[in-house]
Amino acid sequence: MANNTDKPLNHVAIIMDGNGRWAKKRFLPRVAGHKQGMENVRNITISANRLGIKVLTLYAFSTENWGRPTEEVNYLMRLPIDFFDKFMPDLMAENVKVNVMGFLDELPPKTLATTKRAIETTKHNTGLVLNFALNYGSRREIVSTAQKLADEVASGKIQSSDIDEAMFSKNLMTGMFDEYQDPDLLIRTSGEQRISNFLLWQLAYSEMAFTDKYWPDFNEQDLKDMIDQYQNRDRRFGKI
Ligand code: IPE
Ligand code: IPE
Ligand code: MG
Protein backbone atom coordinates (compact mmCIF):
# COMPACT_ATOMS: atom_id res chain seq x y z
CA MET A 1 0.00 0.00 0.00
CA ALA A 2 1.49 3.28 -1.08
CA ASN A 3 -0.09 5.68 1.37
CA ASN A 4 -2.55 6.18 4.19
CA THR A 5 -5.75 5.78 2.24
CA ASP A 6 -7.29 2.46 1.40
CA LYS A 7 -6.83 2.33 -2.36
CA PRO A 8 -3.73 0.37 -3.35
CA LEU A 9 -1.28 2.20 -5.56
CA ASN A 10 1.45 -0.25 -6.39
CA HIS A 11 2.34 0.31 -10.03
CA VAL A 12 2.63 3.74 -11.62
CA ALA A 13 3.48 4.09 -15.32
CA ILE A 14 4.59 7.36 -16.87
CA ILE A 15 4.78 8.50 -20.48
CA MET A 16 7.58 11.02 -20.02
CA ASP A 17 6.70 13.43 -22.81
CA GLY A 18 7.61 17.00 -23.68
CA ASN A 19 11.41 17.06 -23.47
CA GLY A 20 11.72 18.55 -26.95
CA ARG A 21 9.18 21.29 -26.30
CA TRP A 22 10.76 22.05 -22.93
CA ALA A 23 14.04 22.71 -24.74
CA LYS A 24 12.45 24.63 -27.61
CA LYS A 25 10.77 27.01 -25.17
CA ARG A 26 14.26 27.84 -23.87
CA PHE A 27 15.82 28.12 -27.36
CA LEU A 28 17.91 25.03 -26.60
CA PRO A 29 18.51 21.97 -28.79
CA ARG A 30 16.06 19.08 -28.22
CA VAL A 31 18.78 16.97 -26.62
CA ALA A 32 19.08 19.51 -23.81
CA GLY A 33 15.50 18.60 -22.95
CA HIS A 34 16.39 14.93 -22.90
CA LYS A 35 19.30 15.63 -20.58
CA GLN A 36 17.06 17.55 -18.18
CA GLY A 37 14.49 14.78 -18.49
CA MET A 38 17.13 12.28 -17.42
CA GLU A 39 17.88 14.32 -14.29
CA ASN A 40 14.18 14.27 -13.53
CA VAL A 41 14.01 10.50 -13.78
CA ARG A 42 16.31 10.40 -10.76
CA ASN A 43 14.15 12.82 -8.77
CA ILE A 44 10.81 11.19 -9.53
CA THR A 45 12.26 7.73 -8.86
CA ILE A 46 13.34 8.80 -5.39
CA SER A 47 9.96 10.46 -4.72
CA ALA A 48 8.01 7.43 -5.91
CA ASN A 49 10.15 5.13 -3.79
CA ARG A 50 9.58 7.26 -0.69
CA LEU A 51 5.84 7.31 -1.41
CA GLY A 52 5.84 3.51 -1.19
CA ILE A 53 5.16 2.76 -4.86
CA LYS A 54 6.34 -0.74 -5.75
CA VAL A 55 6.84 -0.51 -9.52
CA LEU A 56 7.53 2.63 -11.58
CA THR A 57 7.44 1.96 -15.32
CA LEU A 58 8.91 4.78 -17.40
CA TYR A 59 8.45 4.99 -21.16
CA ALA A 60 11.94 6.02 -22.24
CA PHE A 61 12.08 5.04 -25.92
CA SER A 62 9.38 3.61 -28.16
CA THR A 63 9.77 1.28 -31.14
CA GLU A 64 8.57 4.27 -33.20
CA ASN A 65 11.22 6.66 -31.83
CA TRP A 66 13.83 5.14 -34.21
CA GLY A 67 12.18 7.35 -36.81
CA ARG A 68 13.71 10.49 -35.26
CA PRO A 69 16.87 12.14 -36.63
CA THR A 70 19.98 9.99 -36.15
CA GLU A 71 21.71 12.45 -33.82
CA GLU A 72 18.70 12.51 -31.52
CA VAL A 73 18.39 8.71 -31.55
CA ASN A 74 22.11 8.40 -30.79
CA TYR A 75 21.75 10.80 -27.88
CA LEU A 76 18.76 8.92 -26.51
CA MET A 77 20.67 5.63 -26.73
CA ARG A 78 23.56 7.20 -24.83
CA LEU A 79 21.28 8.46 -22.00
CA PRO A 80 20.92 5.16 -20.11
CA ILE A 81 24.73 4.97 -19.98
CA ASP A 82 24.96 8.50 -18.55
CA PHE A 83 22.03 7.89 -16.23
CA PHE A 84 23.51 4.80 -14.59
CA ASP A 85 27.03 6.30 -14.51
CA LYS A 86 25.77 9.34 -12.69
CA PHE A 87 23.00 7.99 -10.50
CA MET A 88 23.90 4.42 -9.57
CA PRO A 89 25.11 5.54 -6.11
CA ASP A 90 21.73 7.23 -5.51
CA LEU A 91 19.81 4.17 -6.71
CA MET A 92 21.83 1.95 -4.38
CA ALA A 93 21.40 4.34 -1.43
CA GLU A 94 17.64 4.34 -2.07
CA ASN A 95 17.48 0.54 -2.39
CA VAL A 96 16.01 0.84 -5.92
CA LYS A 97 16.00 -2.21 -8.18
CA VAL A 98 16.42 -1.62 -11.91
CA ASN A 99 14.58 -3.50 -14.64
CA VAL A 100 14.45 -2.87 -18.37
CA MET A 101 11.82 -4.15 -20.79
CA GLY A 102 11.59 -3.86 -24.55
CA PHE A 103 13.16 -5.38 -27.64
CA LEU A 104 16.56 -5.24 -26.04
CA ASP A 105 18.64 -7.11 -28.65
CA GLU A 106 18.12 -4.14 -31.00
CA LEU A 107 19.82 -1.69 -28.63
CA PRO A 108 23.39 -0.57 -29.34
CA PRO A 109 25.73 -3.06 -27.57
CA LYS A 110 27.04 -0.49 -25.11
CA THR A 111 23.55 0.61 -24.08
CA LEU A 112 22.53 -2.99 -23.63
CA ALA A 113 25.64 -3.86 -21.64
CA THR A 114 25.16 -0.88 -19.30
CA THR A 115 21.51 -1.63 -18.63
CA LYS A 116 22.31 -5.29 -17.97
CA ARG A 117 25.00 -4.24 -15.54
CA ALA A 118 22.57 -1.92 -13.74
CA ILE A 119 20.07 -4.76 -13.41
CA GLU A 120 22.81 -7.02 -12.04
CA THR A 121 24.16 -4.41 -9.60
CA THR A 122 20.74 -3.68 -8.12
CA LYS A 123 19.26 -7.16 -8.18
CA HIS A 124 19.28 -7.64 -4.41
CA ASN A 125 17.66 -4.26 -3.69
CA THR A 126 14.19 -4.50 -2.19
CA GLY A 127 12.75 -1.01 -2.68
CA LEU A 128 10.96 0.38 -5.72
CA VAL A 129 11.43 -1.42 -9.03
CA LEU A 130 12.47 1.19 -11.59
CA ASN A 131 11.31 -0.38 -14.84
CA PHE A 132 12.46 1.34 -18.03
CA ALA A 133 10.53 0.65 -21.22
CA LEU A 134 13.33 0.95 -23.76
CA ASN A 135 12.68 0.14 -27.41
CA TYR A 136 9.24 -0.88 -26.26
CA GLY A 137 6.06 -1.06 -28.35
CA SER A 138 2.91 -2.64 -27.07
CA ARG A 139 1.46 -4.02 -30.30
CA ARG A 140 4.74 -5.74 -31.03
CA GLU A 141 4.85 -7.03 -27.46
CA ILE A 142 1.39 -8.54 -27.88
CA VAL A 143 2.31 -10.09 -31.24
CA SER A 144 5.48 -11.64 -29.84
CA THR A 145 3.55 -13.05 -26.89
CA ALA A 146 1.05 -14.59 -29.32
CA GLN A 147 3.95 -16.11 -31.30
CA LYS A 148 5.54 -17.52 -28.16
CA LEU A 149 2.29 -19.17 -27.04
CA ALA A 150 1.64 -20.43 -30.59
CA ASP A 151 5.09 -22.09 -30.51
CA GLU A 152 4.21 -23.74 -27.21
CA VAL A 153 0.99 -25.09 -28.71
CA ALA A 154 2.86 -26.32 -31.80
CA SER A 155 5.42 -28.13 -29.66
CA GLY A 156 2.68 -29.73 -27.56
CA LYS A 157 3.74 -27.97 -24.33
CA ILE A 158 0.28 -26.42 -23.93
CA GLN A 159 -3.10 -26.67 -25.64
CA SER A 160 -4.75 -23.65 -27.24
CA SER A 161 -7.59 -23.98 -24.72
CA ASP A 162 -5.04 -23.47 -21.90
CA ILE A 163 -4.47 -19.90 -23.07
CA ASP A 164 -6.44 -17.55 -20.87
CA GLU A 165 -6.03 -13.92 -19.76
CA ALA A 166 -3.82 -14.85 -16.84
CA MET A 167 -1.47 -16.89 -19.03
CA PHE A 168 -1.36 -14.16 -21.64
CA SER A 169 -0.55 -11.51 -18.99
CA LYS A 170 2.16 -13.67 -17.50
CA ASN A 171 3.84 -13.94 -20.90
CA LEU A 172 3.93 -10.20 -21.54
CA MET A 173 7.05 -8.24 -20.60
CA THR A 174 5.35 -7.10 -17.39
CA GLY A 175 4.58 -10.71 -16.39
CA MET A 176 7.48 -10.79 -13.97
CA PHE A 177 5.71 -8.29 -11.70
CA ASP A 178 3.01 -10.82 -10.82
CA GLU A 179 0.19 -9.10 -8.92
CA TYR A 180 1.65 -5.70 -9.85
CA GLN A 181 1.83 -6.31 -13.59
CA ASP A 182 -0.95 -3.88 -14.51
CA PRO A 183 -0.41 -0.19 -13.68
CA ASP A 184 -2.91 1.30 -11.23
CA LEU A 185 -2.17 4.76 -12.54
CA LEU A 186 -0.92 6.02 -15.91
CA ILE A 187 0.50 9.53 -16.07
CA ARG A 188 1.31 11.41 -19.27
CA THR A 189 3.03 14.75 -19.21
CA SER A 190 3.16 17.49 -21.89
CA GLY A 191 -0.56 17.89 -22.56
CA GLU A 192 -0.94 15.05 -25.06
CA GLN A 193 -3.72 12.63 -24.20
CA ARG A 194 -2.89 9.45 -26.05
CA ILE A 195 -1.29 6.10 -25.33
CA SER A 196 1.34 6.07 -28.12
CA ASN A 197 1.64 2.27 -28.16
CA PHE A 198 2.35 1.92 -24.43
CA LEU A 199 1.04 -1.04 -22.36
CA LEU A 200 -2.18 -1.47 -24.36
CA TRP A 201 -3.18 -4.69 -22.63
CA GLN A 202 -1.99 -3.72 -19.15
CA LEU A 203 -3.84 -0.39 -19.06
CA ALA A 204 -7.30 -1.99 -19.44
CA TYR A 205 -8.43 -0.73 -16.02
CA SER A 206 -5.76 1.79 -15.11
CA GLU A 207 -6.73 5.26 -14.01
CA MET A 208 -5.26 7.94 -16.26
CA ALA A 209 -3.97 11.35 -15.29
CA PHE A 210 -2.70 14.03 -17.64
CA THR A 211 -0.79 17.23 -17.02
CA ASP A 212 0.26 20.05 -19.33
CA LYS A 213 3.68 20.22 -17.67
CA TYR A 214 6.62 19.04 -19.74
CA TRP A 215 8.48 16.06 -18.30
CA PRO A 216 11.59 18.00 -17.15
CA ASP A 217 9.28 20.26 -15.08
CA PHE A 218 7.18 17.47 -13.54
CA ASN A 219 8.08 17.39 -9.83
CA GLU A 220 7.33 15.55 -6.62
CA GLN A 221 4.38 17.82 -5.81
CA ASP A 222 2.86 17.09 -9.23
CA LEU A 223 3.22 13.38 -8.53
CA LYS A 224 1.57 13.78 -5.13
CA ASP A 225 -1.28 15.81 -6.67
CA MET A 226 -1.90 13.04 -9.20
CA ILE A 227 -1.86 10.43 -6.47
CA ASP A 228 -4.45 12.51 -4.57
CA GLN A 229 -6.59 12.65 -7.71
CA TYR A 230 -6.23 8.89 -8.01
CA GLN A 231 -7.23 8.38 -4.38
CA ASN A 232 -10.43 10.33 -5.01
CA ARG A 233 -11.48 8.19 -7.95
CA ASP A 234 -13.86 5.30 -7.84
CA ARG A 235 -12.34 2.23 -9.51
CA ARG A 236 -15.28 0.02 -10.32
CA PHE A 237 -13.77 -2.61 -12.65
CA GLY A 238 -17.12 -2.99 -14.39
CA LYS A 239 -19.04 -3.50 -11.18
CA ILE A 240 -21.34 -1.06 -9.41
C1 IPE B 1 9.76 12.50 -24.66
O1 IPE B 1 9.93 13.79 -25.10
C2 IPE B 1 11.02 11.69 -24.73
C3 IPE B 1 11.02 10.68 -25.79
C4 IPE B 1 10.05 10.38 -26.60
C5 IPE B 1 12.24 9.94 -25.96
P1 IPE B 1 9.81 14.17 -26.65
O2 IPE B 1 11.16 14.08 -27.24
O3 IPE B 1 8.76 13.38 -27.31
O4 IPE B 1 9.38 15.69 -26.53
P2 IPE B 1 8.31 16.45 -27.44
O5 IPE B 1 7.06 15.66 -27.39
O6 IPE B 1 8.91 16.51 -28.81
O7 IPE B 1 8.18 17.79 -26.79
C1 IPE C 1 5.91 8.52 -26.41
O1 IPE C 1 6.18 9.83 -26.74
C2 IPE C 1 7.19 7.76 -26.25
C3 IPE C 1 7.98 8.12 -25.08
C4 IPE C 1 7.69 8.98 -24.15
C5 IPE C 1 9.22 7.38 -24.95
P1 IPE C 1 6.23 10.32 -28.26
O2 IPE C 1 6.53 11.78 -28.20
O3 IPE C 1 7.16 9.47 -29.03
O4 IPE C 1 4.74 10.03 -28.76
P2 IPE C 1 3.87 10.77 -29.86
O5 IPE C 1 4.70 10.81 -31.09
O6 IPE C 1 3.56 12.11 -29.33
O7 IPE C 1 2.64 9.92 -29.98
MG1 MG D 1 6.78 13.65 -27.60
Side-chain angles (χ1 to χ4, degrees):
M1 194 84 83
N3 39 44
N4 299 327
T5 49
D6 55 3
K7 200 175 299 164
L9 178 56
N10 294 311
H11 186 170
V12 174
I14 307 183
I15 302 176
M16 307 184 288
D17 198 15
N19 293 349
R21 281 164 284 169
W22 181 92
K24 194 173 175 211
K25 210 173 84 183
R26 288 166 176 73
F27 306 101
L28 295 168
R30 289 179 58 84
V31 295
H34 295 315
K35 181 162 195 294
Q36 197 60 36
M38 179 194 87
E39 302 280 329
N40 204 33
V41 167
R42 173 211 175 262
N43 299 338
I44 294 298
T45 298
I46 291 173
S47 303
N49 188 32
R50 294 183 181 170
L51 289 164
I53 290 162
K54 305 277 197 302
V55 180
L56 178 67
T57 297
L58 300 179
Y59 205 5
F61 192 90
S62 77
T63 47
E64 287 72 37
N65 288 147
W66 294 107
R68 295 187 178 201
T70 313
E71 313 82 79
E72 183 170 345
V73 168
N74 290 345
Y75 191 88
L76 289 167
M77 286 298 146
R78 162 101 220 151
L79 271 186
I81 302 169
D82 295 347
F83 178 82
F84 293 124
D85 270 357
K86 189 163 178 192
F87 297 129
M88 188 47 79
D90 292 346
L91 299 179
M92 290 307 287
E94 293 282 326
N95 196 23
V96 168
K97 182 174 174 165
V98 173
N99 188 64
V100 180
M101 67 174 197
F103 296 93
L104 303 183
D105 0 335
E106 293 163 13
L107 296 175
K110 196 149 181 246
T111 309
L112 182 60
T114 317
T115 55
K116 281 192 172 160
R117 204 175 323 121
I119 293 168
E120 182 63 26
T121 308
T122 61
K123 72 176 179 199
H124 296 303
N125 290 351
T126 54
L128 173 115
V129 177
L130 172 59
N131 179 37
F132 285 104
L134 197 55
N135 192 25
Y136 173 85
S138 187
R139 286 188 168 178
R140 201 173 147 196
E141 176 193 32
I142 290 169
V143 168
S144 66
T145 295
Q147 284 170 339
K148 183 172 154 199
L149 294 175
D151 286 345
E152 291 183 10
V153 172
S155 69
K157 196 176 158 207
I158 59 169
Q159 300 202 307
S160 65
S161 55
D162 294 333
I163 302 172
D164 59 7
E165 292 182 18
M167 184 188 282
F168 206 90
S169 286
K170 186 76 205 154
N171 283 279
L172 292 168
M173 291 172 182
T174 42
M176 66 177 76
F177 302 129
D178 297 321
E179 73 265 44
Y180 304 143
Q181 56 199 350
D182 296 335
D184 301 295
L185 174 64
L186 171 78
I187 293 171
R188 184 168 188 153
T189 59
S190 90
E192 309 303 341
Q193 302 195 353
R194 55 176 172 262
I195 304 296
S196 301
N197 203 14
F198 193 43
L199 303 174
L200 299 177
W201 169 286
Q202 296 89 334
L203 293 173
Y205 272 104
S206 306
E207 296 294 326
M208 305 205 179
F210 300 98
T211 169
D212 287 340
K213 280 207 177 177
Y214 298 139
W215 170 250
D217 290 330
F218 184 81
N219 61 32
E220 179 171 59
Q221 191 54 50
D222 298 318
L223 178 63
K224 285 182 177 161
D225 289 348
M226 288 187 151
I227 293 174
D228 283 347
Q229 263 185 51
Y230 169 85
Q231 290 301 346
N232 287 318
R233 292 194 191 171
D234 184 16
R235 299 186 81 186
R236 285 192 290 272
F237 298 100
K239 303 176 186 115
I240 56 170

mmCIF file of all heavy atoms in Angstrom, residues 8 19 21 28 32 41 51 68 74 85 109 117 127 150 168 171 175-176 191 195 197-198 207 216 231:
data_model
loop_
_atom_site.group_PDB
_atom_site.id
_atom_site.type_symbol
_atom_site.label_atom_id
_atom_site.label_comp_id
_atom_site.label_asym_id
_atom_site.label_seq_id
_atom_site.Cartn_x
_atom_site.Cartn_y
_atom_site.Cartn_z
ATOM 1 N N PRO A 8 -5.121 0.713 -3.071
ATOM 2 C CA PRO A 8 -3.730 0.370 -3.346
ATOM 3 C C PRO A 8 -3.179 1.116 -4.560
ATOM 4 O O PRO A 8 -3.882 1.277 -5.557
ATOM 5 C CB PRO A 8 -3.776 -1.139 -3.645
ATOM 6 C CG PRO A 8 -5.154 -1.590 -3.403
ATOM 7 C CD PRO A 8 -6.041 -0.408 -3.278
ATOM 8 N N ASN A 19 10.009 16.618 -23.587
ATOM 9 C CA ASN A 19 11.410 17.061 -23.472
ATOM 10 C C ASN A 19 11.790 18.034 -24.586
ATOM 11 O O ASN A 19 12.465 19.036 -24.350
ATOM 12 C CB ASN A 19 12.363 15.863 -23.550
ATOM 13 C CG ASN A 19 12.238 14.933 -22.361
ATOM 14 O OD1 ASN A 19 11.595 15.265 -21.375
ATOM 15 N ND2 ASN A 19 12.851 13.770 -22.470
ATOM 16 N N ARG A 21 9.840 19.986 -26.443
ATOM 17 C CA ARG A 21 9.176 21.291 -26.303
ATOM 18 C C ARG A 21 9.734 22.089 -25.130
ATOM 19 O O ARG A 21 9.829 23.311 -25.175
ATOM 20 C CB ARG A 21 7.658 21.091 -26.166
ATOM 21 C CG ARG A 21 6.984 20.819 -27.512
ATOM 22 C CD ARG A 21 5.599 20.246 -27.349
ATOM 23 N NE ARG A 21 5.670 18.831 -26.966
ATOM 24 C CZ ARG A 21 4.631 18.128 -26.545
ATOM 25 N NH1 ARG A 21 3.448 18.719 -26.420
ATOM 26 N NH2 ARG A 21 4.772 16.852 -26.253
ATOM 27 N N LEU A 28 16.825 26.015 -26.728
ATOM 28 C CA LEU A 28 17.906 25.033 -26.604
ATOM 29 C C LEU A 28 17.670 23.899 -27.593
ATOM 30 O O LEU A 28 16.544 23.700 -28.055
ATOM 31 C CB LEU A 28 17.926 24.465 -25.177
ATOM 32 C CG LEU A 28 18.259 25.442 -24.049
ATOM 33 C CD1 LEU A 28 17.967 24.827 -22.685
ATOM 34 C CD2 LEU A 28 19.716 25.883 -24.152
ATOM 35 N N ALA A 32 18.978 18.890 -25.130
ATOM 36 C CA ALA A 32 19.078 19.515 -23.807
ATOM 37 C C ALA A 32 17.845 19.160 -22.968
ATOM 38 O O ALA A 32 17.925 18.996 -21.746
ATOM 39 C CB ALA A 32 19.221 21.023 -23.940
ATOM 40 N N VAL A 41 14.278 11.923 -14.053
ATOM 41 C CA VAL A 41 14.013 10.500 -13.776
ATOM 42 C C VAL A 41 14.554 10.149 -12.389
ATOM 43 O O VAL A 41 13.903 9.475 -11.591
ATOM 44 C CB VAL A 41 14.643 9.588 -14.854
ATOM 45 C CG1 VAL A 41 14.646 8.132 -14.410
ATOM 46 C CG2 VAL A 41 13.893 9.743 -16.180
ATOM 47 N N LEU A 51 7.308 7.360 -1.539
ATOM 48 C CA LEU A 51 5.840 7.313 -1.413
ATOM 49 C C LEU A 51 5.333 5.874 -1.316
ATOM 50 O O LEU A 51 4.133 5.645 -1.201
ATOM 51 C CB LEU A 51 5.181 8.021 -2.607
ATOM 52 C CG LEU A 51 5.327 9.552 -2.609
ATOM 53 C CD1 LEU A 51 4.997 10.130 -3.984
ATOM 54 C CD2 LEU A 51 4.440 10.177 -1.540
ATOM 55 N N ARG A 68 13.211 9.128 -35.489
ATOM 56 C CA ARG A 68 13.713 10.489 -35.259
ATOM 57 C C ARG A 68 15.089 10.664 -35.912
ATOM 58 O O ARG A 68 15.725 9.684 -36.287
ATOM 59 C CB ARG A 68 13.805 10.737 -33.753
ATOM 60 C CG ARG A 68 12.432 10.708 -33.097
ATOM 61 C CD ARG A 68 12.479 11.114 -31.647
ATOM 62 N NE ARG A 68 11.131 11.119 -31.088
ATOM 63 C CZ ARG A 68 10.777 11.794 -30.005
ATOM 64 N NH1 ARG A 68 11.668 12.515 -29.366
ATOM 65 N NH2 ARG A 68 9.534 11.737 -29.570
ATOM 66 N N ASN A 74 20.815 8.724 -31.408
ATOM 67 C CA ASN A 74 22.107 8.397 -30.789
ATOM 68 C C ASN A 74 22.197 8.954 -29.372
ATOM 69 O O ASN A 74 22.667 8.287 -28.451
ATOM 70 C CB ASN A 74 23.274 8.929 -31.632
ATOM 71 C CG ASN A 74 23.419 8.156 -32.931
ATOM 72 O OD1 ASN A 74 22.848 7.072 -33.089
ATOM 73 N ND2 ASN A 74 24.166 8.723 -33.872
ATOM 74 N N ASP A 85 25.719 5.808 -14.971
ATOM 75 C CA ASP A 85 27.025 6.304 -14.513
ATOM 76 C C ASP A 85 26.849 7.306 -13.392
ATOM 77 O O ASP A 85 27.545 7.267 -12.391
ATOM 78 C CB ASP A 85 27.747 7.042 -15.669
ATOM 79 C CG ASP A 85 28.611 6.097 -16.477
ATOM 80 O OD1 ASP A 85 28.689 4.909 -16.106
ATOM 81 O OD2 ASP A 85 29.199 6.562 -17.482
ATOM 82 N N PRO A 109 25.117 -2.162 -28.556
ATOM 83 C CA PRO A 109 25.735 -3.063 -27.575
ATOM 84 C C PRO A 109 26.109 -2.379 -26.253
ATOM 85 O O PRO A 109 25.911 -2.940 -25.186
ATOM 86 C CB PRO A 109 26.986 -3.562 -28.297
ATOM 87 C CG PRO A 109 26.697 -3.373 -29.751
ATOM 88 C CD PRO A 109 25.731 -2.248 -29.878
ATOM 89 N N ARG A 117 24.163 -4.394 -16.733
ATOM 90 C CA ARG A 117 25.002 -4.243 -15.543
ATOM 91 C C ARG A 117 24.208 -3.579 -14.408
ATOM 92 O O ARG A 117 24.317 -3.970 -13.248
ATOM 93 C CB ARG A 117 26.258 -3.425 -15.880
ATOM 94 C CG ARG A 117 27.408 -3.716 -14.931
ATOM 95 C CD ARG A 117 28.717 -2.999 -15.313
ATOM 96 N NE ARG A 117 28.941 -2.918 -16.741
ATOM 97 C CZ ARG A 117 29.079 -1.776 -17.421
ATOM 98 N NH1 ARG A 117 29.029 -0.605 -16.804
ATOM 99 N NH2 ARG A 117 29.281 -1.784 -18.725
ATOM 100 N N GLY A 127 13.660 -2.164 -2.620
ATOM 101 C CA GLY A 127 12.753 -1.012 -2.684
ATOM 102 C C GLY A 127 11.998 -0.992 -3.999
ATOM 103 O O GLY A 127 11.731 -2.040 -4.603
ATOM 104 N N ALA A 150 1.912 -19.575 -29.419
ATOM 105 C CA ALA A 150 1.644 -20.433 -30.586
ATOM 106 C C ALA A 150 2.728 -21.503 -30.709
ATOM 107 O O ALA A 150 2.435 -22.670 -30.997
ATOM 108 C CB ALA A 150 1.571 -19.589 -31.862
ATOM 109 N N PHE A 168 -1.807 -15.180 -20.690
ATOM 110 C CA PHE A 168 -1.356 -14.162 -21.643
ATOM 111 C C PHE A 168 -0.601 -13.045 -20.904
ATOM 112 O O PHE A 168 0.509 -12.664 -21.289
ATOM 113 C CB PHE A 168 -2.540 -13.602 -22.439
ATOM 114 C CG PHE A 168 -2.119 -13.062 -23.774
ATOM 115 C CD1 PHE A 168 -2.090 -13.882 -24.892
ATOM 116 C CD2 PHE A 168 -1.722 -11.745 -23.909
ATOM 117 C CE1 PHE A 168 -1.681 -13.393 -26.134
ATOM 118 C CE2 PHE A 168 -1.308 -11.243 -25.139
ATOM 119 C CZ PHE A 168 -1.292 -12.073 -26.249
ATOM 120 N N ASN A 171 2.871 -13.853 -19.821
ATOM 121 C CA ASN A 171 3.845 -13.939 -20.904
ATOM 122 C C ASN A 171 4.169 -12.601 -21.569
ATOM 123 O O ASN A 171 4.960 -12.547 -22.501
ATOM 124 C CB ASN A 171 3.385 -14.964 -21.938
ATOM 125 C CG ASN A 171 3.643 -16.378 -21.445
ATOM 126 O OD1 ASN A 171 4.752 -16.879 -21.536
ATOM 127 N ND2 ASN A 171 2.628 -17.001 -20.849
ATOM 128 N N GLY A 175 5.001 -9.496 -17.117
ATOM 129 C CA GLY A 175 4.584 -10.713 -16.394
ATOM 130 C C GLY A 175 5.373 -10.967 -15.121
ATOM 131 O O GLY A 175 4.844 -11.509 -14.151
ATOM 132 N N MET A 176 6.627 -10.541 -15.136
ATOM 133 C CA MET A 176 7.485 -10.786 -13.970
ATOM 134 C C MET A 176 7.020 -10.050 -12.712
ATOM 135 O O MET A 176 7.457 -10.376 -11.614
ATOM 136 C CB MET A 176 8.921 -10.365 -14.304
ATOM 137 C CG MET A 176 9.023 -8.879 -14.519
ATOM 138 S SD MET A 176 10.700 -8.330 -14.822
ATOM 139 C CE MET A 176 10.924 -8.844 -16.495
ATOM 140 N N GLY A 191 0.720 17.475 -22.003
ATOM 141 C CA GLY A 191 -0.563 17.894 -22.560
ATOM 142 C C GLY A 191 -1.162 16.952 -23.582
ATOM 143 O O GLY A 191 -2.341 17.067 -23.909
ATOM 144 N N ILE A 195 -2.046 7.200 -25.915
ATOM 145 C CA ILE A 195 -1.288 6.097 -25.327
ATOM 146 C C ILE A 195 0.043 5.863 -26.056
ATOM 147 O O ILE A 195 0.982 5.321 -25.482
ATOM 148 C CB ILE A 195 -2.152 4.792 -25.371
ATOM 149 C CG1 ILE A 195 -3.498 5.006 -24.660
ATOM 150 C CG2 ILE A 195 -1.426 3.613 -24.747
ATOM 151 C CD1 ILE A 195 -3.403 5.299 -23.193
ATOM 152 N N ASN A 197 1.140 3.665 -28.103
ATOM 153 C CA ASN A 197 1.645 2.274 -28.160
ATOM 154 C C ASN A 197 2.322 1.816 -26.863
ATOM 155 O O ASN A 197 3.277 1.061 -26.880
ATOM 156 C CB ASN A 197 2.593 2.110 -29.366
ATOM 157 C CG ASN A 197 2.706 0.665 -29.837
ATOM 158 O OD1 ASN A 197 1.903 -0.192 -29.466
ATOM 159 N ND2 ASN A 197 3.714 0.383 -30.640
ATOM 160 N N PHE A 198 1.800 2.271 -25.740
ATOM 161 C CA PHE A 198 2.345 1.919 -24.426
ATOM 162 C C PHE A 198 1.378 0.991 -23.689
ATOM 163 O O PHE A 198 0.208 1.330 -23.515
ATOM 164 C CB PHE A 198 2.542 3.219 -23.625
ATOM 165 C CG PHE A 198 3.373 3.096 -22.368
ATOM 166 C CD1 PHE A 198 4.534 2.353 -22.339
ATOM 167 C CD2 PHE A 198 2.998 3.789 -21.218
ATOM 168 C CE1 PHE A 198 5.304 2.280 -21.174
ATOM 169 C CE2 PHE A 198 3.763 3.729 -20.053
ATOM 170 C CZ PHE A 198 4.920 2.972 -20.034
ATOM 171 N N GLU A 207 -6.281 3.879 -14.028
ATOM 172 C CA GLU A 207 -6.731 5.262 -14.009
ATOM 173 C C GLU A 207 -5.707 6.080 -14.785
ATOM 174 O O GLU A 207 -4.519 5.760 -14.791
ATOM 175 C CB GLU A 207 -6.815 5.775 -12.562
ATOM 176 C CG GLU A 207 -7.843 5.047 -11.717
ATOM 177 C CD GLU A 207 -9.279 5.283 -12.195
ATOM 178 O OE1 GLU A 207 -9.573 6.399 -12.674
ATOM 179 O OE2 GLU A 207 -10.098 4.350 -12.095
ATOM 180 N N PRO A 216 10.514 17.485 -18.007
ATOM 181 C CA PRO A 216 11.589 18.002 -17.152
ATOM 182 C C PRO A 216 11.064 18.871 -15.998
ATOM 183 O O PRO A 216 11.761 19.044 -14.995
ATOM 184 C CB PRO A 216 12.455 18.837 -18.107
ATOM 185 C CG PRO A 216 12.192 18.238 -19.453
ATOM 186 C CD PRO A 216 10.732 17.849 -19.428
ATOM 187 N N GLN A 231 -6.582 8.861 -5.612
ATOM 188 C CA GLN A 231 -7.232 8.384 -4.379
ATOM 189 C C GLN A 231 -8.699 8.802 -4.314
ATOM 190 O O GLN A 231 -9.489 8.173 -3.634
ATOM 191 C CB GLN A 231 -6.481 8.894 -3.145
ATOM 192 C CG GLN A 231 -5.110 8.241 -2.941
ATOM 193 C CD GLN A 231 -5.175 6.729 -2.776
ATOM 194 O OE1 GLN A 231 -6.252 6.161 -2.563
ATOM 195 N NE2 GLN A 231 -4.040 6.059 -2.897
#
